[in-house]
Structure formats: structure tokens, C-alpha cells
Amino acid sequence: MLNAVIYSLKTLLTGLWILAILGLLSLSPLPTEVQFYVSLLACITLLVHFVEFFAMKTKFKSQSGLAMNFGQTMLWGFGYWLPILKNSTEQVD
């Protein structure tokens, strides 16, 4: 079940990032009013992922022993780090 949520999240975020980049390049197929909200949602998502990176960085390092990837966190959020933490805690148990 968790894998389905993670893959769905990554698919939706991929669509969001594609639409946001197309909007920045003025190539968006969306109407201007809708593109404004897509860009706003992308900015909010980046801000949340930025905060999430610093909030989870030490926990991620202590539980998995790995350094947290900033780029992956900015793109996928918990879709990146949650499976790694889940696998590392399963290996410990």
C-alpha cells in the first residue's frame, strides 16, 4: 500500500514539475489563470520540501547512516526518504 502511495505521489509531482517548467518557459498548454495556480502550488511545494529537508536531515542520517540528498528531497519530498527509512528500520529489526 505504501508503495502505491509513493508511486502516485511521484507521478503527481512529476506532472506538477513539468507543468511548472513549461509555464516558466511560456509553453504551458494550460490557460493563464490555471497556470498561475500551478506555479503557486509548485512554489509552495518547493518551500515545504525545503523545510522538510532540514527537519528530517538528522533523523535520516542517524537511522539510515546515509547523507540525505537535497535534490531528491526537493523533487519528491517524503517519497524519497520514507522508503529508505522504512528499509533501514526493517533491517535493524
Side-chain angles (χ1 to χ4, degrees):
M1 178 65 182
L2 179 64
N3 284 337
V5 171
I6 300 280
Y7 289 128
S8 299
L9 172 78
K10 285 185 176 184
T11 302
L12 290 172
L13 282 171
T14 301
L16 175 66
W17 299 137
I18 289 170
L19 288 173
I21 290 169
L22 287 174
L24 288 173
L25 298 174
S26 298
L27 299 172
S28 178
L30 301 173
T32 305
E33 299 83 19
V34 176
Q35 184 60 46
F36 170 76
Y37 291 110
V38 168
S39 298
L40 183 63
L41 180 62
C43 289
I44 291 169
T45 303
L46 280 174
L47 179 65
V48 168
H49 287 177
F50 186 76
V51 170
E52 177 182 18
F53 174 77
F54 290 105
M56 291 301 298
K57 189 170 141 181
T58 55
K59 181 178 180 180
F60 185 85
K61 177 84 171 162
S62 67
Q63 286 189 1
S64 70
L66 303 170
M68 196 166 183
N69 187 314
F70 181 75
Q72 293 284 338
T73 305
M74 293 304 285
L75 287 174
W76 314 121
F78 74 84
Y80 159 69
W81 57 262
L82 188 61
I84 296 172
L85 284 183
K86 187 174 183 238
N87 289 339
S88 68
T89 55
E90 287 174 358
Q91 290 176 357
V92 170
D93 295 338

